[in-house]
């Protein structure tokens, strides 16, 4: 079994100006590649959560974690394994949909449980939320129709909830 090239890090940081710049700067200086990045305040306004999908082929994960841990504004770093977390991403896409094929596009949006946000003369603007693989599949099926514009948010993730008291700790907090 091969090790996945990407890992998800959930980094709890102080919600202060410049923290994201310091994290991104650290990665840039060390040559670490960030595949995806999302940041927002948590339920406690004193803290923000940075969700990073990192490329472990650019540097060992342990080295990334050690460097992050040195930053004063970093409170906690958690590695979220795919089996132990729930990941979501948002996709907005404008796809060509002339009136004669619009029904096909609308049907595809329905199959993937997406939403049509806006309709133009020859195109539709669609929103889809879900696991990254689901969004990849949807995007690939839309390509033959003609994608005019596309934007993805990057992944956000939280640990799966424990169902029993016997569940082993699924997260690695460093």
């Amino acid at each position: 079994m091969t090790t996945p090239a990407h890992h998800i890090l959930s980094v709890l940081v102080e919600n202060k100006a410049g923290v994201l710049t310091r994290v991104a700067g650290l990665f840039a200086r060390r040559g670490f590649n960030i595949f995806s990045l999302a940041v927002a305040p948590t339920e406690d306004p004193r803290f923000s959560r940075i969700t990073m999908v990192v490329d472990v082929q650019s540097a060992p994960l342990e080295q990334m974690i050690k460097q992050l841990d040195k930053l004063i504004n970093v409170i906690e770093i958690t590695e979220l394994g795919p089996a132990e977390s729930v990941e979501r991403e948002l996709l907005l896409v404008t796809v060509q949909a002339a009136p004669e094929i619009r029904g096909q596009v609308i049907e595809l949006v329905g199959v993937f449980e997406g939403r049509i946000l806006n309709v133009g003369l020859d195109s539709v603007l669609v929103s889809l939320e879900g696991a990254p693989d689901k969004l990849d599949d949807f995007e690939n099926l839309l390509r033959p129709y003609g994608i005019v514009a596309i934007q993805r948010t990057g992944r956000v993730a939280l640990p799966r909830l424990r169902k029993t008291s016997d569940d082993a700790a699924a997260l690695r907090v460093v």
Side-chain angles (χ1 to χ4, degrees), residues 8 17 27 30 34 37 58 79 82 97 108 117 129 133 160 171:
I8 300 171
F27 272 64
R30 302 278 189 234
I34 299 173
L37 178 71
S58 67
E79 180 185 358
L108 187 59
L117 302 177
E129 169 271 327
D133 289 346
R160 287 196 180 276
L171 304 175

Side-chain angles (χ1 to χ4, degrees), residues 26 30 63-74 77:
L26 168 89
R30 302 278 189 234
Q63 186 179 1
M64 292 180 195
I65 291 170
K66 284 180 185 176
Q67 294 298 317
L68 275 171
D69 200 35
K70 290 180 183 179
L71 295 176
I72 191 136
N73 301 108
V74 171
I77 305 165

Side-chain angles (χ1 to χ4, degrees), residues 111-125:
V111 167
F112 279 85
E113 299 176 334
R115 292 182 36 212
I116 297 190
L117 302 177
N118 192 249
V119 177
L121 292 175
D122 292 325
S123 59
V124 295
L125 175 61

Side-chain angles (χ1 to χ4, degrees), residues 88-166:
R88 289 294 177 265
E89 192 172 353
L90 173 67
L91 172 135
L92 294 176
V93 59
T94 301
V95 62
Q96 291 178 358
E100 60 273 7
I101 62 159
R102 187 167 292 159
Q104 296 171 22
V105 173
I106 291 171
E107 185 176 339
L108 187 59
V109 171
V111 167
F112 279 85
E113 299 176 334
R115 292 182 36 212
I116 297 190
L117 302 177
N118 192 249
V119 177
L121 292 175
D122 292 325
S123 59
V124 295
L125 175 61
V126 177
S127 168
L128 180 65
E129 169 271 327
D133 289 346
K134 176 182 176 181
L135 274 59
D136 292 341
D137 293 344
F138 183 66
E139 181 180 335
N140 289 333
L141 289 170
L142 282 181
R143 287 213 178 275
Y145 294 101
I147 293 176
V148 177
I150 191 166
Q151 176 66 49
R152 290 175 72 155
T153 59
R155 296 181 209 182
V156 292
L158 284 174
R160 287 196 180 276
L161 301 176
R162 293 175 24 154
K163 294 188 179 15
T164 68
S165 59
D166 294 336

